[in-house]
Amino acid sequence: MDTKKFVQLFGEVLAPDTARVKAATATLKADYYPHPQSLSILLQLLVSDESTSLRQLAASQARSLVSKHWKSVPDGQKPTIRQHLLEKTLSEEQQLVRHGAARVITAIAKIDLNNGQWLDLFDTLVQAAGSRTPRHREVATYVLFTTIEAIGEDLTAKVPQLLELFGKTINDPQSAEVKINSMLALSRIAILLDADEDAASISKIESLIPQMVGVLKQAIDAGDEDRTTQSFEVFQTLLGCDSSVLNKHFKDLVQFMTNIAVDTDAEEDARTQALSFLMQCVRFKKLRIQGMKVGEQLTLKCLEIITEMGDEDATDEEVTTGRSALALIDVLAESLPPSQVVVPLLHNLGAYVNSSDPDRRKAGLLALGTCVEGAPDFINTQLHEILPLVLRLFNDDDDKVRRAALDTIMRLAEDLAEDLGKEHAKLMPALVKHLDTAIRQASGSDDKKNIDAIKACCNALDTLSEGLDADTVKEYLPELVPRLSRLFTHPDFKIKAAAIGALGAIGASAETAFTPYFEQTMNSLSDYVQIKDSEEELDLRCTTCDAMGAMASAVGAKAFQRYVRPLMQATEEGLRLDHPKLRETSFLFWGNMAKVYKDEFKPFLEGVVKAIFDSLESEESELEVELGEEGADLAGKEVTIAGKKVKVAAFSEDELAAASDIEDLDGMEDDASDDSDWDDLTAVTAVAQEKEIAVEVVGDILTHVTQPYIPYIEKTVEVVLPLTEHSYEGVRRAATGTLYRLYAAVWGLQPEEIQKWEPGLPLKQKPTDEVAKLGEIITTSTLSVWGDEEDRATVTDLNRNIAATLNLTGPSLISSPTTLKPISETLLALLTRKHPCQTDFSTLTSPGSSSSPDEDLDPGALESSEYDWLVIDTALDVLVSLAHVLGPTFAEFYKLVEKTLFRFASGSEAYERSTAVGVLAECIRAMDVAVTPHTAPLFKVLMHRLNDEDPSTKSNAVFAAGLLIATSQDDKEIQRHFNTVLAKLEPMLQEDGARLKDNAAGCAARMAVKYQDKVPLGAVVPALVGVLPLKEDFEENEPVWGCVVRLYSAGEPTILGLTPRLLPILEQVLGEPEEQLNEKTKEQVVEMVRFIHGKQPQMVGKYPGLVAVARGE
C-alpha cells in the first residue's frame, strides 16, 4: 500500500471542496480500507499527526476498522501499538480526540481480552485513574466507561474494584470530566447488577447516588449543557436498573428534579430534562410515585410552569419547559388515580381561569384539556361545571386564551364526544362564530394566527360532529356545508384538508340527511382524488378519499354507486405513488366500501385482497442508523419505532463533530446524512403502521363480505397469525382482533341450529369441524400472546375481543381441555394486577433486597388510574362472558375469583365498586342454583353495598340481591336478610337515575314470586305498579311482568284491584319501543291482556292498542 498516497487522500477529506471530498472518500473506501495496513496507518495518524481534525477523523475511522483488521496486525507489533496508543491518549489535550482514541482502545481491548491478551490494561487504567495528573484521570475513567459499556459482562469479577475506584473518582477535586465519566461508568455497572446475585454492589451504587446528584447540580450551576445532559441520562438509565439502586433516595430525587423544573433561573434545557426524568419516573415507578402521593404536587407545579408559555402554541413539536410540563400532566393523568391529579387540578383551576392574567387563564385551560384523555370518566362527571367555563373563555378578549379554549373543546370532544354533543346548542354556534371571524380577519398566507384558528375550528367541528346523532347534525347542515365548501378552494393546503375532513365527518354523522348536499360536494372534491405532483397534494388526496368514504356510509350504496369504480381505480393507483399514508388511505377506503356494499363488493375482492396481503407480507429488514446531534439521546440504544426495532449506533464526541464538520468516510454527508437517516426511520415506521391498518381492514372486509371471502380464509390465517407476535404493538393488536373477527364471521356461516348455543361444557351443540379447527388455531396463538403481552392497550383490546366472541359463539371457543387453564391464569393475573402489562419497575425488585421500600407495595391495594382500571374492567368483561357460556359449571371458576371481586366491591373508587357488584350479579345469574354454597359471603358484601353512597353501585347491588334470592337454595341465609332487603326497596323505588327504580322493581318482583307468602303484597304490589312502565332497564321487565302475570293468574286481590292503573301501562309496554319486552314476556303479557279483555271488555275498550292486541291484530 502506498502510505504517502493514503495520507494525502485522507487529508483531502478535510478539504472545503465537496467534489474533492467525495472523490477522496470513494478512493479510500474502494482501494485502501479493504486492506489491513489501512488500520495501522490510521493508528499512526491518530497518535502522531499535528492536525486535531485529522487525528479526530483518524480515530473515528480506525475504530470502525478495528473489528475487520486488528486480527491481521502482526502479534509482534501489537504491544508497541497498544502502549503508544494508550500513552498518547493519556496525554492528548483535545477532548474530542481523547474520546475518539478511547473508543479505539475499547474496540481493541474487546478483541484482545477475549483472546487472553492485553491483560494488564485494566490495572493500568485503574492506576491512571488515581494519577495526580487530571488529564490521565480523565482518559482512564473514560476508557473504563467505554470498556464496561462494550464488554461489561466480562468484567463482573472486577465490579467491586471498579466501584471502589469510582466511589473516589466521582468526588474528583479538580476535574468535572472525571466526575461525569465516573457517573457514566457507574450507570453501566448498575445495568449489569441484580440484587439477588450482588446485593453488596447494589448497595454501594445506592450509597453514591447523593454524589451523583451533586455532579448534576454542579453541571447545572456551571451552565455546562453537555455535562448536564450526560448526568440526566445517567439518572434515566438508573431508572431502568434494579429498583434497589434508587429506592432509598427516590423520594429525594423526585423532589430535587421537581425543584429544577420549577426554577425559572435554571437553563431551559435543564428544566425540560428534569421534567422528562419525572415523566420516566411516573412510567417506570408508577406504583412508587402513587404510594408517595406526590401526584398533586407535581400537577400543581406543572400548572404553574405552563403559565410561562406566553404565546407558545401547545401543539408545536419543539421541546420547551411549558410543553414538557403539559406532557408530564398527560402522563400523570394517565398513570395515577384521579384523586392525585385531576381532583387537585380542578380544585385549583378557578385561580387560573378567573385570573386577570391571560397567561394563567391559558395555562388552566391547557392543563384541563391535557387531563381529559387520561381520566375521561372522571372529567365527564364534572362536565357540567367544566363546560361553562370553557365556553366563557372561548369568548375571551385574548387570542391565545380563545385558542386554548378551542384546544380544550377538541380534547373533550375526542374522548367524550357523545356527552359533549349534548351541549351542541352552545358549542356549534360558538364554533361557527369563531370560524367566521377567523376567515374574515385572515389577511393572507402569512397570517399564521388566523390560518391556525381556521384549521382548529374545522378540526373541532370534525371531532364534535362524531358525537352528534343524525337529527341533530341535520339542523346545522345549512350553515356548515356552505362555509366548509368555500374553504375547499383556499390556497392553504392544510385548511383545505381540515375543511374536507370536517365535512366528511359531518356527512357521516348526518347520514341520509346529507344526501341533498352530496352531489355538489363530490363534484367540488373530484379533482383532489387525482392530484399527485407534490407531498402537499398527496396529503390532500388522502384526506379527500377518507372524506368520500365517510360520505358513502352516510348516503348509502345506491347514491354512491357511480363513484365507486373511479375511486377504486384512484385508490389502487395510490398504492404506487410511494406515499405511505396514501396506501393506508386506499386500504381504509376499501374497508368502507366493503361496509357499504357488503357482498356486492365481490367484484373488487380479488385485487383488494392481493394488495393487502402483499402489504402484510412485505419484508421488514433490521436497520442500524447513525444519527447526528439530533439523535444523541438515542445513541447506542435499540428502540422500537412504530413496531420496528431500530438500533441506533453508539457514538462519541468525535463522531458528533465528524457528523457536523467532517466528511464521513462511510459516504454520509452532513445534512443529507441526517435527513436520509430520519427518512429511514420514517420508512420503517410507515411499514409497520401500514400493516396495522391493512390487517384491520382485512377484519372489516371479512366481516361485511363474509360469503364471498370464503376462498381467502385459509390464506388470511396463514398471513395474519404470525403478526400476533410482530414487534409493533399496533400490528399485534390489530392482528388478534382480526383473527377473532374471522372466527365470528365463519361462525355465522354455520347452520342456525348450531349458532344457537347453550351454556355449559361439554358442548351441547358442536361446531363444524372446520370452525372447530379454526377456533383451536386462534385460541392457541392468541392465548399465549394474551398471557405475555406487555402493552396494556393490546391486552385491553384482546380482552374485548375474547369477551365479544364468547358472547356470540358460546363455549365452543373454550371447549378444549387445555384452554381454560391459561384463561384462568391470565384472568387472575389481570385481576390481581400481576400481568406483565401491569408491572412496572417498582414491582420487579428481588424480595431479598433489604434496601427496597417498594417491596411492601401491593398493586391490588392501590387506587387505579382510569387507564389502569380499563384493562381490569375489560378482563371482568371476559369473566362475565365466561360465566354466561359456562352456566352452572362456572361455579368452579368462580371460586378462584371470589375474593378478588369482593375486594373490588369494597374499594374506595365508586366505579370499581359498581363494576364489581355488577359482575357479581352476572356470576349469580350464570351459576343459577350452583350459587347456593356462596350465598352467605355474597349477602355479606351485597348488604353493605345496598347502603352505598354511589347510586350505580347501589343499583347493581339490589339487582344482584334479587338474583341471589331468586336462584339460591340456601333458604336459611336468605331468610336472615329477607326483611332487611325488602325494607331497603321502598325508598329505592322512589329514586331516579342509575336504573335504581327498575332494578329495585326487579328485585321486589323476584322476591314476591319466590316467597309470595313472606311479602306484604298489599304494600309491595302498588309500589311496584307505581314505577311502571320501566324506563331505563328493559331487561327487568321480564321478572316484573312475570310477577304481575303470575299474581293476576292467581287472582291476587291487590293486583286485580289495580287493573285500571295497569291498562294504560300495558298499552305502553306493548307499543314502541318494541325492545321493551322479550318474546317470552311479551307472549305472557298479551295473554294477560286477552284475559282482562274477556272479563272486562268495556274497560279495555278505552285503549285501542290493547283492543288490537286482544283481537290479534
Side-chain angles (χ1 to χ4, degrees):
M1 178 183 290
D2 187 338
T3 302
K4 184 176 180 180
K5 178 66 173 174
F6 177 94
V7 174
Q8 181 183 351
L9 279 169
F10 200 70
E12 287 284 294
V13 174
L14 297 175
D17 187 326
T18 302
R20 287 168 59 192
V21 170
K22 286 182 177 294
T25 298
T27 304
L28 286 167
K29 290 174 65 177
D31 299 338
Y32 291 89
Y33 278 4
H35 304 288
Q37 192 178 348
S38 63
L39 175 61
S40 299
I41 298 172
L42 288 171
L43 291 173
Q44 184 62 32
L45 289 172
L46 172 59
V47 300
S48 63
D49 199 271
E50 294 182 0
S51 167
T52 298
S53 297
L54 202 65
R55 295 200 308 278
Q56 183 179 328
L57 183 60
S60 173
Q61 299 306 303
R63 177 190 171 199
S64 66
L65 294 177
V66 166
S67 61
K68 301 176 185 176
H69 298 320
W70 180 249
K71 61 181 180 297
S72 301
V73 174
D75 288 342
Q77 297 178 15
K78 287 182 179 179
T80 304
I81 293 173
R82 295 182 192 120
Q83 181 180 356
H84 201 191
L85 178 60
L86 190 55
E87 289 174 353
K88 289 294 183 179
T89 303
L90 287 169
S91 61
E92 174 61 56
E93 295 183 1
Q94 297 296 322
Q95 186 188 62
L96 291 178
V97 180
R98 285 201 307 271
H99 284 192
R103 294 283 182 181
V104 176
I105 292 171
T106 298
I108 293 173
K110 185 174 182 179
I111 296 172
D112 284 354
L113 293 175
N114 285 335
N115 294 327
Q117 299 175 342
W118 210 359
L119 298 179
D120 61 341
L121 173 64
F122 182 80
D123 293 335
T124 302
L125 292 172
V126 170
Q127 183 178 355
S131 168
R132 292 183 178 180
T133 305
R135 181 70 43 71
H136 292 177
R137 299 198 299 275
E138 290 167 359
V139 172
T141 51
Y142 190 79
V143 175
L144 284 169
F145 154 60
T146 56
T147 304
I148 295 166
E149 184 180 47
I151 55 171
E153 293 288 350
D154 298 329
L155 297 176
T156 50
K158 306 281 189 182
V159 165
Q161 187 178 354
L162 287 167
L163 290 177
E164 188 68 27
L165 170 67
F166 293 129
K168 297 174 182 176
T169 58
I170 198 169
N171 296 307
D172 193 286
Q174 295 173 291
S175 172
E177 185 178 342
V178 172
K179 296 177 183 179
I180 287 293
N181 293 344
S182 301
M183 278 185 72
L184 291 168
L186 286 166
S187 71
R188 293 298 163 180
I189 293 172
I191 291 173
L192 305 173
L193 298 179
D194 187 317
D196 278 344
E197 300 173 0
D198 196 349
S201 294
I202 290 276
S203 179
K204 177 64 177 177
I205 294 181
E206 179 188 67
S207 71
L208 296 174
I209 297 300
Q211 287 93 315
M212 294 187 190
V213 171
V215 174
L216 170 57
K217 188 175 187 307
Q218 291 166 16
I220 293 173
D221 292 343
D224 190 329
E225 186 176 325
D226 290 341
R227 292 196 174 103
T228 296
T229 298
Q230 287 178 306
S231 299
F232 273 116
E233 287 174 352
V234 165
F235 284 108
Q236 296 270 17
T237 299
L238 294 177
L239 277 175
C241 298
D242 190 294
S243 64
S244 301
V245 171
L246 287 180
N247 279 341
K248 182 178 179 181
H249 303 285
F250 185 70
K251 188 171 185 177
D252 292 335
L253 189 58
V254 168
Q255 187 60 56
F256 173 71
M257 294 294 184
T258 304
N259 292 341
I260 295 173
V262 300
D263 184 359
T264 54
D265 293 328
E267 294 291 335
E268 181 167 65
D269 189 57
R271 298 178 69 194
T272 58
Q273 290 189 77
L275 288 164
S276 176
F277 177 82
L278 291 170
M279 282 184 244
Q280 297 300 345
C281 287
V282 178
R283 289 192 179 104
F284 285 118
K285 298 264 194 181
K286 179 174 70 70
L287 296 179
R288 186 75 194 281
I289 289 287
Q290 185 173 343
M292 287 161 48
K293 297 184 178 179
V294 294
E296 178 173 349
Q297 177 196 358
L298 292 174
T299 300
L300 299 183
K301 296 291 187 185
C302 285
L303 186 54
E304 194 61 28
I305 292 171
I306 298 165
T307 64
E308 302 171 30
M309 290 184 68
D311 292 332
E312 279 182 32
D313 186 342
T315 60
D316 283 353
E317 294 183 0
E318 181 184 354
V319 176
T320 65
T321 310
R323 294 192 190 105
S324 295
L326 283 171
L328 178 53
I329 284 184
D330 187 26
V331 173
L332 287 165
E334 179 185 284
S335 304
L336 300 182
S339 62
Q340 292 197 19
V341 182
V342 185
V343 171
L345 174 67
L346 293 178
H347 282 167
N348 289 272
L349 195 60
Y352 288 83
V353 298
N354 296 319
S355 170
S356 60
D357 182 352
D359 288 331
R360 298 184 75 78
R361 299 199 298 275
K362 173 183 175 179
L365 286 167
L366 291 178
L368 173 62
T370 302
C371 283
V372 176
E373 185 179 8
D377 291 342
F378 184 82
I379 291 290
N380 192 30
T381 66
Q382 308 300 310
L383 199 57
H384 62 287
E385 295 184 6
I386 289 171
L387 195 57
L389 72 86
V390 175
L391 286 170
R392 172 170 61 82
L393 294 176
F394 196 24
N395 293 300
D396 197 274
D397 293 335
D398 192 279
D399 288 342
K400 59 176 173 281
V401 177
R402 291 198 301 272
R403 177 58 195 273
L406 183 56
D407 289 342
T408 302
I409 289 171
M410 287 178 59
R411 287 178 175 267
L412 288 166
E414 286 171 359
D415 290 283
L416 301 170
E418 186 175 336
D419 296 284
L420 201 66
K422 295 173 184 176
E423 304 293 335
H424 64 87
K426 300 173 184 176
L427 287 166
M428 296 297 275
L431 287 170
V432 170
K433 174 187 172 183
H434 281 77
L435 177 62
D436 287 346
T437 302
I439 293 173
R440 185 173 60 253
Q441 294 179 351
S443 58
S445 58
D446 294 331
D447 186 355
K448 185 177 186 300
K449 183 184 75 173
N450 281 305
I451 285 177
D452 286 349
I454 294 170
K455 288 187 292 186
C457 286
C458 290
N459 292 334
L461 288 168
D462 183 335
T463 307
L464 184 61
S465 66
E466 294 179 10
L468 304 179
D469 59 42
D471 289 338
T472 301
V473 178
K474 182 180 179 180
E475 298 175 28
Y476 298 105
L477 290 178
E479 288 190 73
L480 294 176
V481 174
R483 283 175 169 81
L484 294 171
S485 297
R486 285 195 291 272
L487 294 175
F488 293 175
T489 57
H490 195 282
D492 188 286
F493 274 87
K494 291 184 178 178
I495 285 183
K496 288 179 182 176
I500 292 169
L503 196 51
I506 289 166
S509 297
E511 298 177 0
T512 54
F514 188 71
T515 303
Y517 306 93
F518 172 65
E519 291 286 347
Q520 182 181 347
T521 303
M522 292 295 289
N523 291 335
S524 300
L525 297 178
S526 59
D527 290 343
Y528 296 149
V529 298
Q530 302 292 338
I531 55 176
K532 53 186 175 184
D533 293 337
S534 68
E535 195 74 13
E536 284 183 322
E537 288 192 354
L538 290 171
D539 287 341
L540 184 59
R541 179 169 172 165
C542 291
T543 303
T544 304
C545 290
D546 289 341
M548 287 181 169
M551 292 174 197
S553 66
V555 301
K558 185 177 180 180
F560 200 79
Q561 184 64 51
R562 73 186 184 92
Y563 300 102
V564 175
R565 191 164 295 278
L567 284 172
M568 289 297 295
Q569 291 171 351
T571 50
E572 191 274 333
E573 181 197 35
L575 300 180
R576 304 189 297 272
L577 293 178
D578 194 27
H579 188 276
K581 191 173 184 299
L582 194 53
R583 292 177 62 84
E584 295 173 19
T585 293
S586 296
F587 296 154
L588 290 168
F589 182 81
W590 298 345
N592 274 328
M593 292 301 98
K595 294 174 188 175
V596 171
Y597 288 94
K598 297 183 170 47
D599 286 1
E600 293 178 27
F601 191 66
K602 181 180 179 180
F604 302 103
L605 203 53
E606 182 177 357
V608 164
V609 170
K610 181 183 183 305
I612 292 177
F613 283 174
D614 286 346
S615 170
L616 294 177
E617 294 181 307
S618 60
E619 290 293 328
E620 296 178 73
S621 57
E622 291 298 324
L623 179 69
E624 176 167 321
V625 297
E626 296 180 19
L627 304 175
E629 292 174 289
E630 294 86 349
D633 58 328
L634 301 178
K637 300 177 183 177
E638 184 175 76
V639 297
T640 300
I641 302 177
K644 196 65 203 139
K645 286 194 180 298
V646 179
K647 183 180 180 184
V648 182
F651 47 79
S652 54
E653 288 90 336
D654 56 340
E655 291 169 300
L656 287 176
S660 58
D661 300 326
I662 303 172
E663 172 72 70
D664 187 341
L665 291 190
D666 289 333
M668 297 165 60
E669 291 184 64
D670 302 344
D671 295 339
S673 166
D674 291 343
D675 290 344
S676 63
D677 285 330
W678 288 114
D679 285 345
D680 283 341
L681 290 179
T682 302
V684 173
T685 300
V687 170
Q689 289 178 334
E690 180 184 314
K691 288 189 174 184
E692 178 185 9
I693 298 297
V695 76
E696 284 179 352
V697 170
V698 169
D700 290 336
I701 294 172
L702 63 85
T703 298
H704 297 281
V705 197
T706 306
Q707 190 71 43
Y709 195 85
I710 290 175
Y712 307 102
I713 288 177
E714 185 175 345
K715 178 68 173 177
T716 300
V717 174
E718 177 188 327
V719 172
V720 175
L721 209 59
L723 296 178
T724 60
E725 297 182 354
H726 194 277
S727 57
Y728 174 38
E729 64 275 7
V731 174
R732 297 197 300 274
R733 188 162 58 243
T736 52
T738 291
L739 288 172
Y740 278 101
R741 293 178 76 179
L742 175 62
Y743 184 77
V746 173
W747 176 270
L749 296 175
Q750 297 179 113
E752 190 172 336
E753 60 270 16
I754 294 180
Q755 294 185 50
K756 291 182 178 179
W757 55 269
E758 294 182 39
L761 292 175
L763 295 176
K764 298 177 178 63
Q765 298 93 9
K766 292 186 178 181
T768 63
D769 291 343
E770 293 81 2
V771 173
K773 181 63 176 175
L774 178 63
E776 183 181 344
I777 292 170
I778 291 173
T779 52
T780 300
S781 65
T782 57
L783 290 184
S784 62
V785 172
W786 192 33
D788 299 331
E789 177 61 59
E790 295 181 1
D791 179 66
R792 199 169 306 180
T794 300
V795 175
T796 299
D797 265 20
L798 195 44
N799 291 346
R800 292 186 177 119
N801 286 318
I802 293 172
T805 308
L806 285 171
N807 289 336
L808 176 68
T809 65
S812 65
L813 203 59
I814 57 171
S815 59
S816 169
T818 59
T819 303
L820 278 178
K821 186 173 185 292
I823 288 178
S824 63
E825 290 173 347
T826 301
L827 275 180
L828 282 172
L830 285 166
L831 297 179
T832 55
R833 294 183 172 93
K834 294 178 181 177
H835 189 277
C837 77
Q838 297 165 301
T839 57
D840 64 19
F841 283 87
S842 298
T843 61
L844 300 180
T845 306
S846 164
S849 177
S850 60
S851 62
S852 173
D854 286 359
E855 288 171 19
D856 297 329
L857 286 176
D858 176 11
L862 296 174
E863 288 182 74
S864 300
S865 70
E866 289 189 18
Y867 186 57
D868 290 333
W869 178 251
L870 188 58
V871 74
I872 297 173
D873 190 34
T874 52
L876 290 170
D877 289 341
V878 178
L879 186 68
V880 169
S881 298
L882 278 175
H884 286 166
V885 303
L886 291 175
T889 58
F890 176 75
E892 289 301 312
F893 201 103
Y894 173 78
K895 295 176 184 177
L896 302 175
V897 297
E898 184 181 63
K899 288 184 179 178
T900 303
L901 293 177
F902 285 176
R903 189 175 71 234
F904 286 138
S906 303
S908 59
E909 293 292 339
Y911 58 82
E912 291 188 16
R913 299 195 303 276
S914 173
T915 302
V917 174
V919 171
L920 286 170
E922 296 300 334
C923 292
I924 293 167
R925 174 154 55 182
M927 288 187 285
D928 200 57
V929 296
V931 76
T932 301
H934 307 284
T935 304
L938 280 166
F939 260 125
K940 183 178 180 181
V941 171
L942 295 177
M943 296 308 290
H944 283 295
R945 299 285 67 88
L946 285 172
N947 295 315
D948 202 285
E949 62 185 17
D950 174 58
S952 180
T953 303
K954 186 160 57 174
S955 178
N956 286 343
V958 74
F959 173 57
L963 287 170
L964 185 59
I965 290 169
T967 56
S968 173
Q969 295 181 341
D970 189 346
D971 284 343
K972 182 179 178 182
E973 190 64 28
I974 291 172
Q975 294 308 318
R976 283 186 60 218
H977 303 284
F978 194 87
N979 289 333
T980 306
V981 173
L982 196 59
K984 291 180 182 295
L985 291 180
E986 183 178 359
M988 292 185 191
L989 290 170
Q990 310 303 318
E991 291 186 42
D992 292 321
R995 310 177 320 280
L996 195 51
K997 277 185 179 179
D998 297 13
N999 283 335
C1003 181
R1006 289 182 175 98
M1007 296 174 75
V1009 167
K1010 187 172 181 181
Y1011 297 101
Q1012 184 173 334
D1013 58 328
K1014 299 184 183 302
V1015 173
L1017 296 177
V1020 171
V1021 172
L1024 189 60
V1025 172
V1027 302
L1028 297 178
L1030 302 184
K1031 297 288 196 304
E1032 295 184 279
D1033 193 345
F1034 292 155
E1035 194 175 281
E1036 290 304 274
N1037 272 322
E1038 181 176 356
V1040 169
W1041 285 104
C1043 174
V1044 170
V1045 170
R1046 184 187 182 100
L1047 293 174
Y1048 220 97
S1049 300
E1052 198 279 322
T1054 307
I1055 196 69
L1056 292 176
L1058 292 170
T1059 300
R1061 289 178 58 187
L1062 277 172
L1063 290 177
I1065 297 171
L1066 284 165
E1067 188 173 43
Q1068 291 182 60
V1069 298
L1070 289 170
E1072 296 293 337
E1074 290 187 5
E1075 61 268 22
Q1076 290 181 83
L1077 302 177
N1078 61 34
E1079 188 176 333
K1080 179 183 176 182
T1081 304
K1082 188 172 184 178
E1083 289 175 359
Q1084 293 175 336
V1085 172
V1086 167
E1087 286 303 313
M1088 177 178 164
V1089 169
R1090 288 173 178 164
F1091 175 79
I1092 298 172
H1093 183 259
K1095 297 289 186 182
Q1096 303 182 60
Q1098 290 183 331
M1099 188 181 295
V1100 175
K1102 298 176 183 179
Y1103 303 96
L1106 294 182
V1107 173
V1109 168
R1111 293 174 178 173
E1113 297 175 359

